[in-house]
Amino acid sequence: MTEIVLHLDESRRFLMEDPDSVAVIMVDQVTILPVANKITYHGYYFDVDYASMDFTRRRKVQMVLNTKVESVFGEED
């Protein structure tokens, strides 16, 4: 299996929270690598100042998520 790369235009981009900090990532590309069970989100990382409701300190990042098959469900034909 080959990797799948999705380039997101402005209307398709989305925000994700970084679970380890007070920051968000604006995702502009998603890479799916089925053979390695990985999804990589590419985009810009912004620190968030919640008091002033403002984004600060921008940098380019990649967030890698490992996926794991828990179970497979199906019906008999």
Side-chain angles (χ1 to χ4, degrees), residues 22-65:
V22 183
V24 294
I25 298 170
M26 181 177 289
V27 178
D28 60 8
Q29 180 181 318
V30 178
T31 303
I32 303 168
L33 189 55
V35 71
N37 292 324
K38 288 187 179 182
I39 299 173
T40 304
Y41 297 101
H42 307 260
Y44 285 94
Y45 175 100
F46 298 90
D47 287 328
V48 179
D49 181 346
Y50 286 101
S52 65
M53 297 184 64
D54 195 15
F55 291 137
T56 60
R57 214 172 56 133
R58 180 182 98 153
R59 60 189 155 142
K60 189 81 171 156
V61 296
Q62 295 180 6
M63 177 189 284
V64 178
L65 299 177

